């Protein structure tokens, strides 16, 4: 017998639950049915986090088979493969096998009343495919094959195989532990008991999703197998994963990874698969709705598109006549697509005449974008996800980047490469995230002090002359000015330790490791960006990478999500452009609120928006008050949410393969294309269609032409022509690949796709010969008179003075307005108002009332913002808003695991479930984004009840990572 089995590497598993999603999808399982299940494990008293995929062990002496009382038995064991399977037609649903399994690996179908278990995807194996879980696993934690061969591979890799045969069943499944290490750092065996200890998953507060929410192909496998496969891409996050859409009768019935993709090889996360629950979701908006009555009155009636668009156009004209064209603000997030936010809407705003158009960038990565433009002269970052580039680094250091949950496939590649090569990984984060759980070291830094840590690392590197002198002299403009400044300020390791709370020796070791590694990849993300020092923190980390020679090389660099083209503005003929007489109110929607409420510095009376700003912008109460004051609020979205409830018009949007085009830009310069594969539900229309139709009613039809509703036509004829780095990405070239992506920059259709950018001896795209980097000097620019003058105009310096949030520990400097009137900022591409600021030191006193620091961010890998809260399977995986809290703080407040607790800030109050874990800084709590009170399964309040969103004065990025609050048990109310 050739025993088939799964090998599950606990060192690679990040608990993303992609295997769960795939198993349910290909086997037609509904709510509460499992053939495998990922458990989050950990002892709350210890800073650890492990994940265990519980699935059938394909035992030599299966207890389930022996317990089956049916004659003939409903369970059998294949004599050739050793796979145990259940014959659902014979099963009576008695449950004896479920009770008998000592591993808790048997499931149950409560609808058809029979046992459910993993048979290693027998139908897929019959067609020469591997089990679904192994095919999609983003981290390569799950491998399928013959047991003896998998055992040999484990031994070759020096991977310990856990003994999980405590019940003498002869289990075939292999569980591989971390590489051999000391006893005190080896996690306990979670399979030593049928019920693993300390499972850190709170129970759902709501009943399981009902059958009306279960979309195809669930429970309809026989008649819903795809008869056509179409390539495309996921439109949720910056991982840019490529997919294969299984089609039948004009519907998407299956979504799996594209195994022809040379980079991802079919690996995807659960969110990609769960978009299957998006396209025919019963909660989708399907018809235009118009509010009847005053703002706040939630009485809506169905209207036609013509009626809605005609009235919106007339009301916009009245706003323009009374308050000027600039009094219309437009906010469109990446849900609406890159073609929309960088194409159709900018064309509309030029013809309408408003500078007040923004995307989600001010809440995501505006600080990073500004830092890249200043330093690199481009937002095209150099490194790519290949074994030869990022995979060849000797050290990976993550600053505030939980890549394992935010971009699981990319992290899976990084972790796999580094384990194969023996490379190091260090994570700096206030939380023991899934990313930190896989690292060699986790440094639990105080929130808002990453810039201080980077300054101390630089100080230490210069103190020991560990910097790459040749690279600094040739390629780093202003490095000596920065060096001398950091020495004068005495940003020593001792100073850093006091501010960050990190051990001096840990900091010294980190500096040494970064300086001496043969290639160090420094990753940063929202944990760095979402601060009022976001630009300077990013520039300081960039300087750390530069002085160690980790820029413009393979296996070393600075990387911050995501890499973008250097956008060119879509041209509009001069005769069709409207005059814009007033500058933009700022680079953040937060700066629109006073204009809505108080007409300062001028009025905003209309807003067209997508996404859910009423719940997801900071300072939620002020946002909702501002929205209620508007003369016109138009909301374009997929689902009815808190913003819809305040809108005058709620318009149904198409998404993904219902409209085609590009929804996201991939993290490493890949442009991924989707064809339009199916019709949207009801009368839903693409955002592209909306702007063309609204433009017609305002006289813009000769520019926003009707044929541009086809995204392929718009892409080829208009969009790519405006941005030089995209000009070679023609539709013919995009659709000629079986995986539908091209990596930029490419100047024309025949230009080969680039590898790592800015390598020594190369010329940057679009630059004069010999310019390695796309800056005026051809160097990485950190200090020169031009940059310094820009900063000085705001009351700052381009030198890295440390400052952080006013809400941080007392005594640290922060930025504050100096009271002068707003003037035009020198940092933006169009006239934009900004404040003058000054650095102030916070008073040195203890925070008694607000004794806790709140950090917000992305939730677990099964969720993305608010979209996934409408997917029944994502809600089944993680239903409740949670608050991570340290055991010491929980005990002092009488807060218990899994129970609701109350969080209060100067701005508001919120309830969440307590997740008590030592994997968080003792003074910090973490609450994720994405929840709101209108969601169908597990509605909770938004964390933005508590946030304020103070701005970075340079980029206008909002602080979302550090707010003062207090917590208490609900019993105290």
């Amino acid at each position: 017998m050739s025993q088939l089995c799964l090998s599950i590497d606990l060192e690679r598993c990040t608990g993303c639950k992609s295997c769960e999603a795939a198993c349910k999808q290909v086997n037609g399982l509904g709510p509460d049915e499992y053939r495998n299940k990922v458990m989050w494990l950990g002892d709350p008293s210890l800073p650890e986090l492990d994940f265990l995929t519980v699935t059938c062990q394909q035992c030599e002496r299966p207890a389930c088979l022996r317990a089956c009382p049916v004659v003939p038995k409903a369970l059998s064991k294949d004599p050739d493969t050793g796979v145990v399977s259940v014959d659902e037609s014979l099963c009576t649903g008695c449950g004896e096998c479920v009770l008998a399994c000592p591993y808790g690996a048997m499931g149950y179908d409560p609808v058809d009343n029979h046992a459910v278990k993993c048979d290693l995807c027998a139908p897929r194996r019959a067609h020469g495919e591997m089990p679904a879980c192994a095919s999609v696993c983003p981290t390569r934690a799950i491998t399928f094959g013959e047991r003896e061969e998998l055992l040999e591979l484990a031994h070759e890799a020096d991977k310990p195989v856990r003994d999980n045969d405590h019940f003498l069943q002869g289990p075939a499944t292999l569980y591989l532990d971390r590489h051999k290490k000391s006893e005190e750092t080896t996690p306990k065996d979670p399979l030593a008991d049928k019920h693993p200890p300390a499972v850190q998953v709170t129970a759902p507060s709501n009943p399981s999703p009902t059958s009306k929410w279960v979309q195809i192909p669930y429970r309809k496998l026989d008649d819903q197998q795809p008869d056509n496969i179409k390539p495309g891409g996921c439109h949720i996050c910056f991982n840019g994963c490529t997919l294969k859409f299984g089609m039948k009768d004009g519907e998407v019935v299956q979504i799996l990874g594209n195994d022809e993709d040379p980079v991802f090889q079919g690996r995807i996360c659960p969110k990609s698969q769960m978009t299957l629950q998006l396209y025919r979701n019963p909660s989708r908006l399907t018809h235009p709705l118009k509010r009847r009555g005053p703002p706040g009155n939630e009485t809506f009636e169905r209207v036609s598109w013509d009626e809605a668009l005609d009235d919106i156009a007339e009301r916009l004209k009245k706003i323009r006549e009374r308050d000027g064209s600039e009094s219309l603000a437009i906010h469109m997030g990446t849900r609406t697509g890159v073609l929309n936010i960088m194409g159709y809407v900018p064309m509309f705003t030029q013809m309408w005449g408003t500078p007040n158009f923004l995307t989600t960038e001010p809440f995501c990565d505006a600080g990073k974008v500004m830092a890249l433009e200043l330093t690199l002269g481009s937002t095209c970052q150099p490194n790519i996800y290949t074994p030869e580039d990022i995979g060849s680094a000797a050290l990976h250091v993550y600053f505030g980047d939980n890549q394992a949950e935010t971009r699981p496939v990319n992290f899976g590649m990084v972790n796999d490469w580094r384990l194969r090569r023996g490379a190091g990984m260090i994570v700096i984060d206030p939380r023991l995230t899934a990313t930190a759980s896989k690292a060699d070291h986790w440094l639990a830094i105080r929130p808002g002090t990453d810039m201080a840590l980077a300054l101390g690392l630089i100080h230490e590197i210069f103190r020991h002359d560990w910097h790459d002198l040749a690279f600094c002299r040739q390629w780093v403009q202003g490095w000596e000015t920065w060096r001398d400044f950091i020495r004068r300020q005495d940003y020593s390791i001792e100073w850093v330790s006091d501010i960050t709370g990190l051990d001096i020796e840990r900091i010294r070791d980190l500096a040494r490791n970064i300086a001496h590694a043969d290639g160090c990849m420094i990753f940063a993300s929202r944990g760095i960006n979402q601060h009022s020092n976001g630009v300077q923190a990013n520039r300081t980390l960039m300087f750390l990478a530069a002085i160690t020679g980790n820029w413009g090389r393979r296996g070393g660099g600075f990387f911050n999500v995501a890499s973008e083209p250097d956008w060119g503005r879509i041209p509009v003929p001069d005769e069709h452009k409207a005059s814009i007489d007033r500058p933009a109110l700022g680079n953040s929607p937060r700066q629109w609120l006073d204009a809505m409420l108080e007409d300062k510095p001028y009025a905003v009376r209309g807003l067209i928006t997508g996404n859910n700003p009423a719940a997801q912008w900071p300072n939620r109460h002020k946002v909702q008050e501002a929205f209620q004051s508007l003369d016109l609020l138009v909301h374009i979205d997929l689902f009815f949410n808190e913003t819809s409830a305040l809108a005058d018009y709620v318009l149904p949007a198409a998404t993904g393969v219902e409209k085609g085009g590009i929804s996201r830009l991939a993290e490493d310069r890949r442009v991924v294309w989707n064809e339009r594969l199916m019709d949207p539900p009801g009368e839903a229309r693409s955002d592209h269609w909306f702007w063309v139709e609204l433009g017609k009613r305002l006289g813009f039809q000769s520019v926003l032409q009707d044929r541009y509703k086809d995204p392929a036509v718009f892409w080829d004829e208009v969009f790519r022509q405006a941005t030089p780095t995209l000009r070679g990405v023609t539709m013919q070239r995009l659709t000629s690949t079986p995986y539908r992506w091209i990596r930029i920059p490419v100047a024309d259709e025949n230009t080969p796709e680039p590898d790592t950018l800015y390598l020594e001896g190369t010329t940057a795209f679009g630059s004069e010969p010999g310019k390695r980097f796309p800056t005026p000097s051809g160097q990485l620019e950190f200090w020169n008179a031009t940059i310094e003058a820009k900063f000085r105009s705001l009351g700052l310096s381009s030198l890295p003075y440390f400052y952080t949030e006013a809400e941080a520990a007392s005594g640290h400097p922060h930025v504050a307005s100096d009271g002068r009137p707003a003037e035009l900022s020198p940092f933006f591409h169009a006239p934009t108002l900004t404040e003058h600021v000054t650095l102030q030191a916070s008073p040195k006193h203890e925070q008694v009332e607000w004794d806790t620091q709140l950090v917000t961010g992305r939730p677990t890998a099964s969720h993305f913002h608010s979209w996934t809260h409408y997917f029944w399977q994502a809600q089944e995986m993680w239903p409740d808003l949670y608050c991570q809290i340290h055991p010491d703080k929980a005990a002092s407040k009488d807060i218990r695991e899994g129970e609701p607790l109350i969080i209060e800030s100067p701005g508001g109050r919120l309830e969440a479930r307590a997740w008590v874990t030592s994997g968080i800084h003792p003074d910090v709590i973490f609450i994720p984004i994405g929840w709101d009170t209108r969601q169908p399964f597990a509605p909770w309040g938004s964390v933005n009840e508590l946030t304020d969103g103070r701005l970075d004065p340079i980029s206008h990025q909002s602080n979302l990572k550090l707010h003062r609050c207090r917590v208490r048990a609900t019993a105290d109310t």
Side-chain angles (χ1 to χ4, degrees):
M1 181 180 74
S2 179
Q3 174 70 65
L4 297 179
C5 75
L6 298 175
S7 174
I8 302 174
D9 190 342
L10 304 186
E11 192 166 20
R12 284 177 166 80
C13 179
T14 60
C16 75
K17 301 197 177 192
S18 186
C19 55
E20 269 189 38
C23 182
K24 287 206 172 194
Q25 183 181 175
V26 303
N27 293 298
L29 305 179
D32 298 319
E33 297 178 65
Y34 294 96
R35 295 192 181 193
N36 67 7
K37 188 171 179 62
V38 178
M39 311 296 285
W40 284 49
L41 306 174
D43 183 342
S45 66
L46 299 173
E48 64 181 25
L49 187 62
D50 286 314
F51 310 94
L52 175 71
T53 302
V54 178
T55 187
C56 179
Q57 305 294 298
Q58 313 299 345
C59 298
E60 183 181 351
R61 300 176 59 250
C64 58
L65 191 154
R66 286 181 281 122
C68 181
V70 179
V71 180
K73 287 182 178 292
L75 286 132
S76 62
K77 181 179 174 67
D78 189 300
D80 296 322
T81 64
V83 175
V84 180
S85 60
V86 57
D87 186 334
E88 296 173 0
S89 67
L90 296 176
C91 181
T92 63
C94 68
E96 291 296 329
C97 58
V98 176
L99 294 172
C101 176
Y103 299 102
M106 293 288 293
Y108 189 77
D109 182 342
V111 177
D112 294 328
N113 299 309
H114 59 72
V116 175
K117 72 173 297 299
C118 171
D119 59 3
L120 297 178
C121 288
R124 286 175 59 86
R125 288 189 287 114
H127 291 91
E129 299 173 304
M130 70 174 71
C133 60
S135 73
V136 302
C137 178
T139 61
R140 293 167 171 76
I142 302 178
T143 309
F144 168 71
E146 295 187 10
R147 193 172 194 274
E148 289 303 315
E149 292 181 1
L150 295 176
L151 266 175
E152 185 176 345
L153 289 174
H155 293 149
E156 288 175 0
D158 196 28
K159 298 282 291 184
V161 178
R162 292 195 178 196
D163 176 14
N164 61 321
D165 193 14
H166 309 292
F167 309 103
L168 305 179
Q169 304 297 301
T173 303
L174 301 175
Y175 287 91
L176 310 184
D177 209 336
R178 293 178 181 257
H179 285 81
K180 292 177 181 177
K181 56 181 72 177
S182 64
E183 255 183 50
E184 61 184 30
T185 58
T186 301
K188 298 176 182 177
D189 183 0
L191 290 175
D193 193 286
K194 176 179 176 180
H195 304 288
V199 177
Q200 295 296 303
V201 180
T202 54
S205 59
N206 288 32
S208 296
T210 60
S211 59
K212 77 169 186 174
W213 292 95
V214 182
Q215 290 88 52
I216 57 174
Y218 300 98
R219 313 198 64 77
K220 296 182 180 179
L221 280 181
D222 294 339
D223 61 351
Q224 291 294 345
Q225 290 303 301
D227 53 25
N228 192 13
I229 303 295
K230 294 285 189 179
C234 180
H235 49 96
I236 289 188
C237 87
F238 296 107
N239 218 119
C241 299
T242 51
L243 307 175
K244 283 188 172 179
F245 294 91
M247 306 296 297
K248 185 178 178 66
D249 299 328
E251 300 277 349
V252 176
V253 297
Q254 186 181 85
I255 299 176
L256 292 171
N258 190 331
D259 52 2
E260 297 180 80
D261 188 316
V263 175
F264 292 155
Q265 302 169 350
R267 312 288 177 174
I268 53 173
C269 86
K271 296 184 288 292
S272 294
Q273 301 173 67
M274 289 187 293
T275 55
L276 187 62
Q277 298 161 33
L278 172 64
Y279 295 114
R280 286 294 178 262
N281 192 301
S283 271
R284 283 286 294 274
L285 292 167
T286 56
H287 299 88
L289 302 174
K290 180 179 181 179
R291 181 172 49 78
R292 293 301 184 193
N297 183 334
E298 294 187 30
T299 302
F300 290 84
E301 66 176 2
R302 177 175 164 180
V303 295
S304 69
W305 271 106
D306 282 339
E307 181 181 345
L309 289 165
D310 289 346
D311 189 42
I312 290 168
E314 289 304 312
R315 293 169 73 171
L316 285 175
K317 291 175 184 176
K318 291 178 181 178
I319 289 173
R320 180 170 58 188
E321 289 170 4
R322 186 180 64 247
D323 295 297
S325 61
E326 300 91 347
S327 61
L328 170 65
I330 301 173
H331 180 263
M332 288 288 152
T334 43
R335 189 281 304 158
T336 68
V338 169
L339 284 178
N340 190 50
I341 61 177
M342 303 308 297
Y344 297 92
V345 183
M347 292 176 73
F348 180 91
T349 59
Q350 291 179 70
M351 290 183 284
W352 172 262
T354 181
N356 294 309
F357 163 54
L358 291 169
T359 69
T360 54
E361 186 178 273
F363 301 127
C364 295
D365 66 344
K368 175 265 298 188
V369 169
M370 186 69 69
L372 280 172
E373 289 180 347
L374 288 167
T375 304
L376 180 63
S378 172
T379 51
C380 270
Q381 297 177 95
N383 301 96
I384 59 176
Y385 284 92
T386 63
E388 298 77 23
D389 188 349
I390 290 176
S392 69
L395 180 64
H396 305 267
V397 182
Y398 288 87
F399 284 84
D401 183 0
N402 183 16
Q403 190 184 39
E405 291 183 294
T406 57
R407 289 106 64 218
V409 181
N410 283 349
F411 180 78
M413 290 190 291
V414 172
N415 196 39
D416 179 65
W417 290 326
R418 76 108 180 176
L419 289 173
R420 293 177 187 276
R421 298 184 68 252
M425 182 182 290
I426 299 168
V427 173
I428 298 104
D429 201 295
R431 296 191 298 140
L432 180 69
T433 60
T435 308
S437 75
K438 300 304 168 190
D440 300 300
H441 300 288
W442 165 49
L443 306 185
I445 194 170
R446 288 185 181 126
T449 64
D450 299 85
M451 181 182 175
L453 175 58
L455 289 167
L457 296 172
I458 293 165
H459 185 280
E460 182 75 357
I461 288 168
F462 279 136
R463 189 169 77 90
H464 292 284
D465 293 328
W466 289 340
H467 56 291
D468 186 331
L469 183 59
F471 187 88
C472 287
R473 285 176 172 171
Q474 190 168 4
W475 300 114
V476 185
Q477 187 181 82
W479 74 273
E480 291 171 305
T481 305
W482 271 52
R483 178 200 62 191
D484 296 344
F485 171 81
I486 289 170
R487 285 175 173 170
R488 288 196 306 272
Q489 295 294 117
D490 194 22
Y491 289 142
S492 66
I493 284 184
E494 291 75 16
W495 172 82
V496 172
S497 177
D498 182 59
I499 289 178
T500 63
L502 299 177
D503 179 74
I504 288 175
E505 288 306 313
R506 283 288 184 92
I507 301 169
R508 183 170 286 120
D509 287 345
L510 180 58
R512 182 185 299 108
N513 290 335
I514 290 174
H516 290 93
D518 182 13
C520 173
M521 282 301 306
I522 295 176
F523 293 89
S525 189
R526 295 354 181 198
I528 303 300
N529 301 339
Q530 291 173 338
H531 281 289
S532 64
N533 66 3
V535 170
Q536 290 295 69
N538 269 286
R539 291 180 75 227
T540 306
L541 287 173
M542 290 173 183
F543 190 72
L544 175 62
I547 65 168
T548 53
N550 285 299
W551 208 309
R553 61 159 292 176
R554 295 183 178 91
F558 171 85
F559 207 97
N560 190 323
V561 186
S563 195
E564 298 183 36
D566 296 314
W567 296 108
R569 195 174 196 188
I570 305 291
V572 167
D574 289 341
E575 63 270 21
H576 291 282
K577 286 183 180 178
S579 63
I580 299 177
D581 300 322
R582 293 176 287 191
L585 292 165
N587 193 50
S588 171
R590 185 178 182 269
Q591 294 159 297
W592 295 346
L593 301 183
D594 286 341
M596 293 175 181
L597 290 167
E598 303 173 28
D599 297 350
K600 293 181 179 179
Y602 60 82
V604 166
R605 302 309 316 144
L607 174 66
I608 302 175
T609 185
N611 301 9
N612 187 11
Q616 306 307 335
W617 287 2
N619 200 342
R620 177 178 171 274
H621 291 293
K622 187 173 182 179
V623 171
Q624 295 203 334
E625 182 185 359
F627 284 8
Q628 288 176 335
S629 74
L630 293 169
D631 294 338
L632 177 65
L633 173 56
V634 179
H635 186 220
I636 312 168
D637 215 331
L638 308 175
F639 304 104
F640 194 95
N641 55 38
E642 291 192 13
T643 305
S644 309
L646 301 171
D648 296 291
Y649 280 96
V650 180
L651 305 179
T655 188
V657 295
E658 294 170 348
K659 64 178 181 181
I662 293 174
S663 293
R664 288 281 189 178
L665 292 165
E667 188 173 354
D668 63 342
R669 294 185 275 111
R670 286 173 301 107
V671 175
V672 187
W673 183 263
N674 268 324
E675 297 175 31
R676 186 180 186 275
L677 302 180
M678 62 185 291
D679 293 330
E683 296 179 15
R685 297 291 183 267
S686 72
D687 298 270
H688 322 148
W689 183 94
F690 167 81
W691 290 107
V692 171
E693 285 294 319
L694 182 60
K696 280 183 187 178
R697 288 156 173 84
L698 297 168
F700 305 158
Q701 62 269 21
S702 62
V703 178
L704 275 173
Q705 299 176 32
D706 206 62
R707 60 201 188 93
Y708 292 160
K709 292 175 183 176
D710 182 340
V713 173
F714 185 70
W715 174 271
D716 247 1
E717 295 187 13
V718 179
F719 191 84
R720 69 179 176 87
Q721 307 291 349
T723 298
T725 53
L726 294 175
R727 284 181 186 157
V729 187
T730 62
M731 283 307 308
Q732 192 281 329
R733 187 171 184 176
L734 268 174
T735 56
S736 66
T737 71
Y739 42 84
R740 296 297 192 269
W741 61 257
I742 300 295
R743 184 175 280 120
I744 61 169
V746 285
D748 58 61
E749 195 172 47
N750 299 315
T751 301
E753 291 180 45
D755 193 83
T756 311
L757 300 181
Y758 319 127
L759 295 174
E760 189 169 8
T762 64
T763 296
F765 183 90
S767 297
E768 298 173 4
K771 284 194 173 183
R772 179 177 177 181
F773 299 104
T775 57
S777 67
Q779 300 172 301
L780 297 171
E781 297 184 352
F782 288 94
W783 192 93
N784 58 42
T786 301
I787 294 175
E788 182 66 15
K790 288 185 176 182
F791 278 81
R792 289 292 180 189
S793 71
L794 300 188
L796 297 170
S797 170
S798 65
L799 293 171
Y801 285 94
F802 172 68
Y803 61 91
T804 183
E805 310 302 341
E807 297 91 343
S810 61
H812 299 329
H814 65 275
V815 291
S817 173
D818 68 1
R820 286 186 286 168
E823 292 186 7
L824 296 184
S825 169
F827 288 98
F828 300 111
H829 299 294
T832 303
L833 293 174
T834 195
E835 284 188 316
H836 293 271
V837 296
T838 183
L839 289 184
Q840 294 182 359
S842 301
K844 291 189 175 183
H845 60 80
E846 293 299 321
Q847 295 278 357
V848 178
E849 183 178 8
W850 310 108
D851 62 350
T852 302
Q853 294 180 326
L854 166 67
V855 173
T856 70
R858 284 270 302 278
T860 59
S862 56
H863 278 306
F864 182 86
H865 298 289
S866 60
W867 295 34
T868 49
H869 292 268
Y870 296 83
F871 302 167
W872 68 264
Q873 194 176 357
Q875 286 299 303
E876 185 180 46
M877 289 178 175
W878 208 283
D880 289 337
L881 179 70
Y882 58 89
C883 173
Q884 287 185 312
I885 183 171
H886 194 274
D888 292 347
K889 184 171 286 289
S892 70
K893 307 286 186 178
D894 198 27
I895 292 169
R896 294 178 174 81
E897 168 72 24
E899 294 184 356
L901 78 163
I902 294 172
I903 311 99
E904 296 169 307
S905 77
R909 177 183 181 277
L910 182 69
E911 286 194 19
R913 286 199 183 277
W915 177 350
V916 181
T917 172
S918 57
I920 192 167
H921 192 285
D923 295 330
V924 173
I925 61 170
F926 172 82
I927 302 174
I929 61 174
W931 275 259
D932 74 35
T933 59
R934 303 273 172 172
Q935 292 164 357
F937 299 123
W940 290 82
S942 166
V943 69
N944 288 304
E945 297 278 1
L946 309 172
T947 61
D948 176 68
R950 184 188 297 262
L951 300 182
D952 176 351
I954 306 160
S955 67
H956 299 175
Q957 174 96 50
S958 270
N959 164 39
L960 297 172
K961 286 291 187 280
L962 178 53
H963 287 84
R964 281 284 170 181
C965 66
R966 61 190 177 206
V967 294
R968 56 189 172 91
T970 52
D972 295 340
T973 57

